[in-house]
Amino acid sequence: MSLVTTHVLDTAAGKPARGVPVRLESAAGPVAEGVTDEDGRVRELGPERLEPGVYRLVFDTEAYLGPDGFFPEVALSFRITDPEAHHHVPVLLSPFAYSTYRGS
């Protein structure tokens, strides 16, 4: 199962980022959409099985940070090589910076 999940943490406030719209895309177009829950998580995004290839997560950070946030969106491209693996892509967010990594 090639499940995609994400977690957004507001590092400036020291809490989960609730209500961030997230879109999963492939080269063919949108695959799925979600919104982070009260714990800053989207627990399932997309179908249970994604074919190998390059995908993109787009976070509408302006919806969370407002117009004063420097990055109105964060777009992260990643590659799925194992369609059976779980792919967790967390984001650490603040008004003027973000970072990411492959989580577990």
Side-chain angles (χ1 to χ4, degrees):
M1 157 186 344
S2 175
L3 182 66
V4 175
T5 60
T6 189
H7 189 192
V8 183
L9 297 172
D10 182 333
T11 58
K15 64 179 186 177
R18 179 181 186 182
V20 178
V22 182
R23 187 174 65 249
L24 176 64
E25 302 175 341
S26 71
V31 174
E33 295 182 352
V35 177
T36 57
D37 64 15
E38 61 281 342
D39 194 35
R41 297 178 184 273
V42 177
R43 298 177 191 275
E44 289 186 28
L45 195 56
E48 287 188 12
R49 181 178 170 85
L50 293 170
E51 294 302 316
V54 175
Y55 291 84
R56 190 165 93 136
L57 282 172
V58 181
F59 299 82
D60 180 358
T61 53
E62 186 169 29
Y64 177 76
L65 295 171
D68 293 332
F70 186 71
F71 298 103
E73 76 173 20
V74 170
L76 306 173
S77 296
F78 62 100
R79 184 180 314 276
I80 290 179
T81 56
D82 179 359
E84 301 300 319
H86 173 201
H87 295 80
H88 185 63
V89 185
V91 174
L92 304 176
L93 181 64
S94 74
F96 298 100
Y98 67 87
S99 64
T100 188
Y101 56 96
R102 172 143 188 208
S104 59

